[in-house]
Amino acid sequence: MTHDTYKYRFDESVPAQELEDTFMLAMLAVESLHGRSRVRMESRFNLDKARRTCVIDASTDVGSDLARIFTGFATKEYGERSVLIERTQPSGCACASKHRAAPAAAAAGVAL
């Protein structure tokens, strides 16, 4: 299991609403694979339509599948030149470990 995060940047030719629609379609595909509850507990992402960016935490199987499916849908729909994808790994910051611990806490019914 990796602790990778993917950051997507879309150029101005990509309409913000279509970007959100593509992301929601990818979420639906991931829910079909893993189930809605597991997706809610194990996915972490941030979609910023105004900035045309999306960040997906791929440290879980759910997150990894979401990143792969969203990459496939987005590059097919908008073209590879319209989407810049950056892969980052954890910085070693203590706040990063808190972020990764959240899904387990949520699964245990702990309020965050």
Side-chain angles (χ1 to χ4, degrees):
M1 186 72 49
T2 66
H3 296 287
D4 293 334
T5 299
Y6 293 94
K7 183 170 185 176
Y8 302 80
R9 293 183 193 178
F10 296 86
D11 69 23
E12 295 292 322
S13 69
V14 178
Q17 185 58 50
E18 287 188 28
L19 172 61
E20 182 179 28
D21 292 346
T22 300
F23 184 80
M24 295 310 295
L25 189 60
M27 285 292 288
L28 183 62
V30 173
E31 284 181 7
S32 297
L33 287 173
H34 297 284
R36 185 176 174 87
S37 296
R38 189 169 173 203
V39 170
R40 289 191 70 194
M41 291 186 298
E42 296 182 16
S43 65
R44 296 205 178 278
F45 57 88
N46 182 28
L47 178 65
D48 186 336
K49 290 189 329 183
R51 294 184 181 185
R52 289 182 166 73
T53 61
C54 180
V55 177
I56 299 174
D57 177 356
S59 64
T60 64
D61 289 341
V62 171
S64 179
D65 287 344
L66 178 59
R68 282 191 260 169
I69 291 170
F70 184 60
T71 298
F73 286 178
T75 56
K76 183 73 174 176
E77 186 166 350
Y78 309 117
E80 292 187 12
R81 292 184 180 191
S82 297
V83 184
L84 176 65
I85 304 170
E86 297 175 57
R87 177 179 163 196
T88 60
Q89 295 182 327
S91 63
C93 174
C95 61
S97 64
K98 285 182 182 178
H99 181 70
R100 286 192 302 273
V110 176
L112 299 175

